[in-house]
């Protein structure tokens, strides 16, 4: 299964990030075999979300299939190679 990994930092541009996540979610569902959207969100990004969007953090996280428990622990999402077929 393919996966898209999106990281959101504290930089401005939250509306663009939300639009990207919505598009990836729809594209992932349309791909043969499907795909997962992984999302890593920094604490600063959560603050920017509150300033630049009407979305709650829970709404943003719901746009992804996989969210690590904290922004400091994304290694399993970003660095683990998918299994390969023999």
């Amino acid at each position: 299964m393919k996966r898209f990994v999106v990281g959101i930092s504290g930089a401005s541009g939250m509306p663009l990030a939300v639009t990207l996540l919505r598009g990836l979610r729809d594209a992932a569902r349309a791909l043969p075999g499907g795909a997962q959207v992984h999302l890593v969100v920094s604490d600063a990004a959560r603050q920017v979300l509150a300033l630049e969007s009407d979305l709650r953090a829970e709404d943003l996280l719901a746009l992804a299939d996989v969210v690590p428990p904290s922004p400091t622990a994304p290694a399993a999402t970003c660095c683990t190679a998918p299994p390969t077929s023999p």
Side-chain angles (χ1 to χ4, degrees):
M1 176 177 286
K2 295 183 185 288
R3 63 184 155 180
F4 300 103
V5 179
V6 177
I8 303 176
S9 68
S12 189
M14 191 57 68
L16 178 61
V18 171
T19 300
L20 173 68
L21 285 167
R22 287 179 175 149
L24 285 175
R25 179 190 58 194
D26 295 343
R29 291 180 180 154
L31 285 173
Q36 289 183 323
V37 177
H38 293 235
L39 177 61
V40 179
V41 182
S42 72
D43 292 335
R46 291 172 190 259
Q47 293 174 353
V48 171
L49 177 68
L51 296 171
E52 293 188 359
S53 174
D54 293 333
L55 287 178
R56 298 173 303 141
E58 296 81 18
D59 299 327
L60 179 70
L61 301 179
L63 296 173
D65 299 305
V66 178
V67 179
S70 79
T72 59
T77 295
C78 301
C79 303
T80 303
T84 57
S85 301

